Every structure is written in C-alpha cells, then in structure tokens.
Amino acid sequence: MLKTSARTLHVGTLNDCYYQPETAVCRTMGGADQPMLNNCRPDRCGNATITTRHRRGWEAARDDTERALVFVGLSDLQRTALRQHLSDVTKVIEGIDHAHD
Ligand code: SF4
C-alpha cells in the first residue's frame, strides 16, 4: 500500500507511466533506473497507463506509419516492421475505444 502510493506519475504523450523498475520494459532495453518515455513501449509495459487523453498521439503515430508504408524503396524487412508497428498501434487505439464503449 505504501509502496503503491509512493509511485510517481510520469506524464507522456502516448501514455503515462507509474514507474516500477522490476516491470519496466525500457529498463530491459538498456535504460537507466528511471522512466525513459522516449524509449517507451507502452503497448507492452505494465507500468503504462493509456487513456482517452492519449488517443490523438496514437492516431498521429498510426497516420505517420501509414504514410511511411507508401514510400517506394522500402525493403521487405522495413515494410514488415512498419506493418507490425501499424498493427500494434491500431490495437492500442481499439483498446482505448473499447475501454470507453
Ligand atoms: S517502458 Fe514506458 S511505461 Fe514502461 S516503465 Fe518505461 S517509460 Fe514507463
């Protein structure tokens, strides 16, 4: 209880973070012992909280990814990575919408 109430909220564009080092995905990617919102995986990290306030940021990420996918000259690997990213972003948006149906 005390530990929970002592957590600090870190506000971000795509999510907020209630940082706990033992479950921080960014920390496993070589981050320091603090939130790394610029290297964040909010769709995969249990410390992330995504609300309707973040939906516009996810929409922008989806739009950017769709624009990138129409570039000619992408390698198959790049195109596959972008499609996976688009799928992940779309799932987050759907999750936001379903949470508030
Ligand atoms: S990955 Fe993102 S949500 Fe998770 S601990 Fe790091 S900054 Fe917070």
Side-chain angles (χ1 to χ4, degrees), residues 63-81:
D63 294 348
D64 287 347
T65 307
E66 286 174 341
R67 275 193 291 275
L69 270 168
V70 300
F71 288 163
V72 292
L74 291 174
S75 70
D76 288 346
L77 196 61
Q78 289 170 318
R79 199 168 295 282
T80 298

Side-chain angles (χ1 to χ4, degrees), residues 1-8 18 20:
M1 175 87 173
L2 184 60
K3 186 176 180 181
T4 300
S5 63
R7 288 188 299 166
T8 302
Y18 284 99
Q20 293 186 93

Side-chain angles (χ1 to χ4, degrees), residues 18-86:
Y18 284 99
Y19 187 74
Q20 293 186 93
E22 59 273 14
T23 55
V25 170
C26 58
R27 191 166 183 245
T28 66
M29 297 188 301
D33 193 10
Q34 61 185 8
M36 296 182 62
L37 286 166
N38 63 345
N39 196 22
C40 183
R41 295 307 309 259
D43 53 330
R44 298 185 183 176
C45 183
N47 294 342
T49 300
I50 301 171
T51 70
T52 53
R53 179 168 50 81
H54 302 107
R55 196 182 192 285
R56 291 186 75 167
W58 288 97
E59 288 173 359
R62 180 186 59 195
D63 294 348
D64 287 347
T65 307
E66 286 174 341
R67 275 193 291 275
L69 270 168
V70 300
F71 288 163
V72 292
L74 291 174
S75 70
D76 288 346
L77 196 61
Q78 289 170 318
R79 199 168 295 282
T80 298
L82 284 170
R83 284 191 183 122
Q84 182 58 55
H85 183 64
L86 182 59

